[in-house]
């Protein structure tokens, strides 16, 4: 979810569900240690519970970043061992770490020693020619020995040789059963499944086999899905009333962000899926996409886009 689940996106998501656990986009250790720390770590208090996801492979650097996460008030820090991007592979970040389980265990242990908040890991079921069952078992075992209790598992192997990150979202096929077997083999661990889930019904079906479900791209492209989470998963009342009410809340947020110097398109790009499948949805997206990036664009553009929805109600 790099460049997707930033703080504006997460604030929007929190309006749709009060209980879903939110994760930041992956931030590298280098960006946190040497870059604009406030840009990557700042968040809205409403986002809790929220986890910082980091990318890196140096135990000392990861420990330093874990301390930053805790001091900033994050509820969890998560190590990404699943991203297949060439950019991160070159820095020994992401899915390539699955070939180095001892190093990952050292990283997790260093982070655990540095903070009191939970340290978790997100990974694939395997990479390249790694055998799904044996390779996954060899990866999980030394990490679990550190006391790490939560493993978020993307149920698709990553092919780091010859496939682009985009192709890695479709090839090879998802293997949910492998994640289910991992839970059976490690009943004491919290196993959360990820990959290809598009409906709450599909998520609920997975909960018969694992402890939790992570939804990424579908939540981004069809965010209204999140309004079902509180009732369907947690048995609580939904907070969202209707899409226009959510947008009214977002207009207040947008005004505040624009006043602080933020550009409109940095926020509105995350809102394009709110009216997915609704009358006027395409027109809403067209108005936003055509004008939000222009200098001086303000909340009135969003209101103009909403007229495309109101006129069809």
């Amino acid at each position: 979810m790099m460049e997707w689940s930033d703080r504006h996106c997460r604030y929007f998501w929190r309006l749709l569900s009060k209980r879903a656990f939110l994760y930041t986009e992956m931030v590298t250790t280098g960006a946190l240690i040497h870059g604009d720390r406030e840009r990557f770590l700042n968040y809205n208090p409403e986002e809790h519970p929220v986890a910082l996801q980091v990318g890196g492979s140096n135990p000392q650097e990861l420990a330093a970043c874990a301390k930053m996460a805790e001091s900033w008030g994050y509820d969890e820090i998560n190590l990404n061992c699943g991203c297949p991007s060439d950019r991160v592979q070159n820095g020994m970040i992401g899915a390539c770490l699955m070939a180095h389980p001892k190093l990952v265990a050292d990283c997790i242990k260093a982070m655990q020693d540095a903070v009191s908040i939970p340290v978790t890991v997100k990974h694939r079921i395997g990479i390249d020619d790694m055998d799904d069952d044996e390779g996954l078992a060899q990866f999980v075992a030394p990490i679990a020995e550190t006391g790490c209790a939560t493993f978020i598992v993307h149920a698709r192997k990553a092919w780091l040789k010859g496939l682009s990150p985009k192709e890695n979202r479709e090839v090879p096929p998802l293997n949910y059963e492998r994640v289910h077997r991992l839970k059976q083999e490690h009943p004491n661990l919290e196993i959360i499944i990820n990959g290809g889930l598009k409906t709450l019904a599909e998520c609920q079906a997975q909960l018969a086999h694992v402890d939790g479900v992570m939804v990424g791209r579908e939540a981004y492209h069809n965010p209204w899905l999140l309004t079902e989470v509180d009732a369907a998963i947690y048995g609580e009342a939904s907070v969202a009333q209707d899409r226009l009410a959510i947008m009214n809340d977002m207009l207040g947020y947008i005004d505040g962000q624009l006043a602080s110097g933020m550009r409109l398109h940095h926020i509105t790009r995350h809102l394009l899926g709110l009216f997915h499948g609704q009358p006027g949805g395409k027109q809403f997206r067209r108005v936003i996409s055509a004008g939000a990036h222009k200098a001086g664009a303000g909340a009135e553009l969003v209101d103009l886009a909403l007229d495309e929805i109101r006129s069809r109600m």
Side-chain angles (χ1 to χ4, degrees):
M1 301 293 285
M2 290 177 67
E3 300 182 352
W4 285 25
S5 55
D6 64 17
R7 62 189 178 94
H8 307 302
C9 179
R10 298 192 306 270
Y11 179 88
F12 168 53
W13 281 344
R14 184 55 75 211
L15 295 177
L16 304 174
S17 168
K18 293 300 182 188
R19 292 299 306 272
F21 204 116
L22 303 181
Y23 284 74
T24 71
E25 58 187 323
M26 183 181 73
V27 185
T28 66
T29 54
L32 289 173
I33 294 171
H34 306 294
D36 186 347
R37 195 170 298 175
E38 290 198 0
R39 172 191 167 196
F40 293 111
L41 290 177
N42 276 352
Y43 61 90
N44 305 284
E46 295 87 350
E47 292 176 37
H48 288 292
V50 58
L52 176 69
Q53 185 180 91
V54 292
S57 56
N58 180 295
Q60 291 73 37
E61 292 179 352
L62 284 164
C65 293
K67 288 181 180 178
M68 292 181 205
E70 185 171 51
S71 66
W72 236 268
Y74 281 91
D75 301 292
E76 173 187 313
I77 185 160
N78 176 263
L79 179 63
N80 185 302
C81 297
C83 180
S85 168
D86 292 340
R87 285 188 300 162
V88 299
Q89 283 184 59
N90 294 335
M92 271 291 284
I93 298 171
C96 63
L97 286 173
M98 289 200 70
H100 307 277
K102 178 61 169 60
L103 173 59
V104 175
D106 290 342
C107 291
I108 293 293
K109 184 64 167 62
M111 296 163 77
Q112 290 171 333
D113 289 344
V115 298
S116 59
I117 59 175
V119 178
T120 65
V121 60
K122 184 176 187 293
H123 56 93
R124 299 284 187 128
I125 56 172
I127 56 171
D128 297 329
D129 295 321
M130 176 190 292
D131 174 79
D132 283 3
D133 288 74
E134 182 180 354
L136 184 55
Q138 291 175 354
F139 177 77
V140 167
I143 300 170
E145 287 176 4
T146 71
C148 179
T150 300
F151 294 74
I152 303 170
V153 190
H154 187 129
R156 193 191 307 276
K157 182 182 287 190
W159 284 98
L160 306 181
K161 303 171 184 176
L163 288 185
S164 69
K166 182 178 180 180
E167 290 169 323
N168 264 292
R169 295 198 289 269
E170 303 293 337
V171 179
L174 288 158
N175 187 344
Y176 295 136
E177 290 75 17
R178 173 74 285 264
V179 186
H180 300 167
R181 289 197 297 275
L182 180 66
K183 176 60 184 177
Q184 293 168 3
E185 294 157 7
H186 298 277
N188 58 313
L189 298 179
E190 181 181 43
I191 304 297
I192 298 172
I193 199 166
N194 170 238
L197 298 166
K198 295 182 180 297
T199 68
L200 258 293
E202 291 174 355
C203 294
Q204 287 174 303
Q206 288 295 328
L207 292 177
H209 307 283
V210 293
D211 302 296
V213 176
M214 174 182 277
V215 180
R217 295 182 183 278
E218 188 63 21
Y220 193 87
H221 294 302
N222 182 22
W224 198 248
L225 168 75
L226 294 175
T227 63
E228 304 174 45
V229 168
D230 293 3
I233 304 299
Y234 296 99
E236 299 181 3
S238 299
V239 295
Q241 300 172 3
D242 59 60
R243 289 171 170 85
L244 285 177
I246 293 298
M247 282 305 305
N248 284 334
D249 288 339
M250 282 304 300
L251 285 171
Y253 176 79
I254 288 169
D255 282 335
Q257 291 297 311
L258 295 179
S260 68
M262 187 61 58
R263 295 286 296 274
L264 182 64
H265 73 94
H266 288 305
I267 305 169
T268 54
R269 67 191 182 96
H270 303 303
L271 311 180
L272 297 179
L274 180 59
F275 295 98
H276 173 77
Q278 299 297 300
K282 290 182 180 178
Q283 293 79 6
F284 171 83
R285 292 191 294 275
R286 185 181 67 238
V287 172
I288 296 290
S289 299
H293 65 283
K294 296 180 179 178
E300 66 279 358
L301 176 73
V302 181
D303 201 49
L304 182 64
L306 288 173
D307 283 341
E308 298 290 347
I309 304 297
R310 299 183 188 111
S311 67
R312 291 166 172 80
M313 292 181 69

